[in-house]
Amino acid sequence: MKTPCNVIRDLLPLYHDGVCSPESRQLVEEHLEKCADCRGELERMDTPLPTAHPQVNERTVAAAASSAWKRGRRRAFSKGFVLAAVLVAVVSVLVGTWIWVNSWPMEVTGRIVETQVDQTTGEVTYVVYTTRGKEIGLLLEEDTWIRSYFDTYTEQDFLDGTITDSLHIYAELGSNKETIYNQDGEKIPAYPAQLVEIDAYQTPDFMTLDDGTQVEVWQGHRGVLYALHDGPELLDVRTPTGPDGTYAWGVDTLGHLPQKAQDNILAYYQKQGLIYDTQVELERAYQEYLQWEFSSPIPTQILRQEITPTAANAEVIYFTTTIERCIDGGAVSIEPHCVPFSKETGEAMELQDVFLCTPETLIQTLLSHSNIATPELEPEMIDAFRLDYVTIGQERLGVTFPDGTLPSHEGTATFRFSYDDAVTWLMQPWAVPGAE
């Protein structure tokens, strides 16, 4: 259902200031893509208000008003009931919109670029460059809750405004909007901070891209953030997880195996290390930034590597290393790499040894016993298929085609096949998940 323009225009000030919730932001941006009028309204918010006013003759205004009243008093009376009804409807929409907008907290993420401390009152205000490309002020109050993930940057130091290092924060804001001046003398909106989380700090290191551009490196509690100076955050690389400490429903974990098997599997993955190149991923994110055509800032790309157990039986356990790239919570591409291990010794095996057929026979058999592939897509899947795309799951066998491998499909394509007779006949009996 299309969102009415009057609802979107109520949200535009919050969107313009970069403090609306992710749900509201998505709603506004979807509407702006199709509505030129609302895009124009957003652009007008950046237009300075005129300071000069034309001079008006008071007698002329009074005479015109008196004449208009005499001519329109009968019509005004007859239209009163209609106007009253319209007013009630407008008020109802506004009240409903206010309740809807305020059902989520206003959230911002970004980097602190300025600290202001009132020497008279001791009040502390931080200027934040948000991931939405706007500067806003954070007004600290007595009940502002500060959470720091680093011992170096304490909650009290943040409340006192004594931290001078560059910090990255997440904040939840109140709705009372004020105005402050930044160090350049520009007016920016400011909001009372209800919650502030210090989640990253800038390191002295830099990454240099192929064209010579330097990228800042920020150490976060969940990984490393790469950002352009006074620009967008390009890439958020999360700390890799697994194989220990990860699990899947209904599958043995690493801790269930004999110690010898655990040690060998850990050694295998320690030798494997990262299966992506950070420099390559950063170049990819930078090129996407250069080609970004929308008016809103480019969202930060998140990169994760996770190793999890995905299937097991009495003899073998399968671990899958997954590389996931996503923007704003939506998966952009997923690349799984599945490896079978002996549960007794932890010795790694080749995925090819799991099957009794060639990769060509495997994909043709899978497609012939399923109805998920369209006639146009099926020959593309057969041509692009590699055994590396297979993931052994406890309930189903998965095949993931990375972004760009299927010409008629945009993005990553994943298909899952149940372990019916057609599939299990292609596998070694000892390799079928769940088999005793």
Side-chain angles (χ1 to χ4, degrees):
M1 182 179 68
K2 181 180 179 181
T3 307
C5 288
N6 60 339
V7 174
I8 294 299
R9 295 195 181 189
D10 288 334
L11 294 172
L12 281 181
L14 297 176
Y15 177 80
H16 176 267
D17 293 343
V19 295
C20 60
S21 67
E23 294 84 356
S24 298
R25 183 174 69 244
Q26 181 180 357
L27 189 71
V28 171
E29 291 178 349
E30 290 176 351
H31 183 91
L32 291 177
E33 290 180 1
K34 302 177 182 178
C35 182
D37 291 340
C38 288
R39 287 198 303 271
E41 184 68 21
L42 179 62
E43 293 173 358
R44 282 191 288 274
M45 290 182 179
D46 290 321
T47 303
L49 295 175
T51 58
H53 301 278
Q55 298 297 318
V56 181
N57 186 289
E58 295 182 1
R59 291 186 178 182
T60 302
V61 174
S66 176
S67 176
W69 166 251
K70 291 177 181 178
R71 291 195 306 268
R73 57 186 177 182
R74 290 183 180 178
R75 284 178 292 174
F77 180 79
S78 63
K79 294 180 180 179
F81 293 106
V82 176
L83 293 175
V86 172
L87 181 60
V88 170
V90 171
V91 170
S92 298
V93 170
L94 292 177
V95 170
T97 301
W98 184 91
I99 294 174
W100 176 61
V101 170
N102 287 276
S103 60
W104 296 295
M106 293 189 294
E107 303 172 333
V108 294
T109 57
R111 289 165 278 168
I112 293 177
V113 295
E114 182 185 345
T115 304
Q116 300 178 3
V117 181
D118 190 311
Q119 299 302 323
T120 302
T121 64
E123 294 179 347
V124 178
T125 301
Y126 290 98
V127 178
V128 177
Y129 180 83
T130 72
T131 53
R132 308 308 301 171
K134 302 284 185 179
E135 280 194 0
I136 69 163
L138 295 184
L139 307 174
L140 299 192
E141 300 181 330
E142 291 183 359
D143 58 350
T144 300
W145 181 21
I146 310 298
R147 179 189 299 158
S148 176
Y149 291 99
F150 309 99
D151 295 337
T152 307
Y153 306 104
T154 67
E155 293 86 344
Q156 191 59 51
D157 287 341
F158 191 85
L159 287 170
D160 294 340
T162 59
I163 297 176
T164 58
D165 294 350
S166 298
L167 300 179
H168 187 278
I169 58 95
Y170 159 83
E172 294 180 0
L173 311 178
S175 58
N176 296 328
K177 179 179 177 181
E178 299 182 24
T179 300
I180 64 171
Y181 291 88
N182 64 11
Q183 58 188 359
D184 296 325
E186 300 172 335
K187 281 186 177 181
I188 62 173
Y191 300 85
Q194 299 174 347
L195 165 68
V196 178
E197 293 183 351
I198 304 172
D199 57 18
Y201 60 90
Q202 186 176 0
T203 73
D205 302 324
F206 287 89
M207 295 281 283
T208 302
L209 301 177
D210 289 344
D211 66 357
T213 300
Q214 286 195 323
V215 179
E216 298 172 349
V217 180
W218 294 68
Q219 181 60 57
H221 73 286
R222 293 183 298 181
V224 180
L225 183 67
Y226 299 90
L228 296 177
H229 180 66
D230 293 334
E233 298 162 7
L234 298 177
L235 185 64
D236 185 356
V237 180
R238 302 294 170 84
T239 302
T241 59
D244 53 330
T246 58
Y247 67 95
W249 181 258
V251 182
D252 289 341
T253 65
L254 185 70
H256 289 97
L257 305 181
Q259 189 61 50
K260 178 181 178 180
Q262 294 184 43
D263 293 342
N264 285 336
I265 292 174
L266 288 172
Y268 175 91
Y269 283 112
Q270 184 175 9
K271 182 179 179 181
Q272 172 189 268
L274 297 176
I275 58 175
Y276 61 82
D277 186 310
T278 302
Q279 183 75 34
V280 172
E281 297 294 337
L282 190 54
E283 291 284 356
R284 183 209 304 262
Y286 179 61
Q287 291 304 316
E288 291 177 356
Y289 159 69
L290 294 178
Q291 299 169 14
W292 187 255
E293 299 178 349
F294 302 98
S295 58
S296 59
I298 186 170
T300 306
Q301 180 170 300
I302 298 174
L303 181 67
R304 299 187 183 94
Q305 175 172 308
E306 182 179 50
I307 304 170
T308 57
T310 53
N313 58 24
E315 298 184 37
V316 65
I317 184 169
Y318 297 88
F319 281 89
T320 299
T321 304
T322 302
I323 302 300
E324 181 180 83
R325 304 176 186 89
C326 61
I327 295 179
D328 267 6
V332 174
S333 64
I334 298 175
E335 298 177 13
H337 300 264
C338 186
V339 179
F341 295 89
S342 164
K343 292 182 73 174
E344 181 178 357
T345 65
E347 179 184 358
M349 295 173 269
E350 297 294 332
L351 195 59
Q352 175 64 64
D353 297 337
V354 167
F355 298 99
L356 296 168
C357 62
T358 64
E360 293 76 15
T361 300
L362 175 62
I363 186 62
Q364 290 174 351
T365 303
L366 292 175
L367 293 177
S368 65
H369 288 79
S370 67
N371 56 4
I372 61 174
T374 63
E376 296 79 12
L377 196 58
E378 186 169 330
E380 294 181 4
M381 295 172 66
I382 293 175
D383 291 341
F385 179 76
R386 291 169 43 187
L387 200 60
D388 293 342
Y389 297 166
V390 173
T391 302
I392 306 297
Q394 191 69 13
E395 301 294 335
R396 296 180 181 182
L397 182 149
V399 178
T400 299
F401 293 89
D403 185 14
T405 56
L406 300 179
S408 62
H409 188 282
E410 184 177 353
T412 301
T414 299
F415 305 90
R416 305 191 186 281
F417 306 87
S418 299
Y419 290 114
D420 56 16
D421 291 343
V423 176
T424 56
W425 286 343
L426 301 178
M427 300 179 67
Q428 296 281 3
W430 54 261
V432 179
E436 296 295 337

